[in-house]
Amino acid sequence: KEQLINAKKAGLSYATYALRSTLQVRNRLKEKGYSHDIIEDVISFLKEFNYLSDEFFTEQFIRAKINRKHYGYQRIRRELGAKGIHSNIIESMLEKLYPDTVAYETARKSAEKKLRSIAFRDAEKKKVQLYNHLRRQGFPTQIIKTIISEYC
């Protein structure tokens, strides 16, 4: 009983400090040495009182990565998968929040930011660096080719 109370406090503290996925909270509680049954009780408790929602976490994560980091949907998909978000949730949220028009606009912003730092390079090297940058950011080849043709 005492251990369950302490686990709930730890889970609540961790989940409310910043948005977390269920897997992140589960792993944190596991690190602290709580048993599987107690961890599942804490997860249920947090979900019941809306402190933990993979759907809400995914939506906020996608919005932040589009607006602040200018990530492509492939990188977002990969990072959410690493955080333990189910692929159905990822795909439905990406479909809702990341249409092709947003992907092109985000790729443009990312390219413009990168081009400021490589403007002094020769044209061929600039193309290669821009291509590699947009690939790392998670944009598909078709969008990258379109962006490169616009800027280089």
Side-chain angles (χ1 to χ4, degrees):
K1 181 99 175 151
E2 176 91 15
Q3 197 175 23
L4 179 60
I5 292 169
N6 289 337
K8 282 183 178 179
K9 285 180 183 176
L12 185 61
S13 173
Y14 188 66
T16 56
Y17 179 74
L19 278 178
R20 312 283 184 182
S21 70
T22 302
L23 180 68
Q24 289 174 308
V25 173
R26 186 176 281 123
N27 288 343
R28 177 61 169 234
L29 293 173
K30 201 179 292 182
E31 284 173 15
K32 291 190 171 276
Y34 294 108
S35 71
H36 176 75
D37 293 337
I38 288 179
I39 291 171
E40 292 310 312
D41 286 347
V42 171
I43 298 292
S44 296
F45 165 78
L46 293 172
K47 285 184 175 184
E48 181 181 338
F49 291 98
N50 293 322
Y51 289 112
L52 192 60
S53 167
D54 281 349
E55 290 81 5
F56 184 72
F57 171 81
T58 302
E59 182 177 344
Q60 295 307 309
F61 184 90
I62 291 171
R63 288 183 195 282
K65 297 304 177 188
I66 291 171
N67 295 327
R68 289 192 211 120
K69 296 286 189 176
H70 309 301
Y71 283 179
Y73 54 81
Q74 293 171 341
R75 182 166 178 176
I76 292 171
R77 184 182 292 127
R78 187 173 55 248
E79 288 190 9
L80 284 168
K83 292 181 182 300
I85 305 298
H86 195 277
S87 61
N88 293 345
I89 297 171
I90 296 171
E91 293 309 317
S92 69
M93 288 296 179
L94 281 173
E95 202 173 286
K96 174 180 155 188
L97 300 170
Y98 214 151
D100 285 344
T101 53
V102 173
Y104 277 104
E105 192 54 41
T106 304
R108 274 189 195 91
K109 288 177 185 174
S110 185
E112 287 168 0
K113 184 175 178 184
K114 182 65 178 177
L115 285 169
R116 286 193 294 269
S117 68
I118 61 170
F120 60 91
R121 304 277 163 103
D122 65 79
E124 200 51 45
K125 199 164 196 176
K126 202 185 307 187
K127 278 184 186 178
V128 170
Q129 285 187 328
L130 185 58
Y131 178 87
N132 290 337
H133 169 74
L134 292 172
R135 235 14 234 163
R136 281 190 305 276
Q137 291 295 89
F139 294 100
T141 305
Q142 189 55 48
I143 290 177
I144 294 172
K145 286 180 179 177
T146 303
I147 297 299
I148 287 177
S149 70
E150 285 178 20
Y151 288 97
C152 295

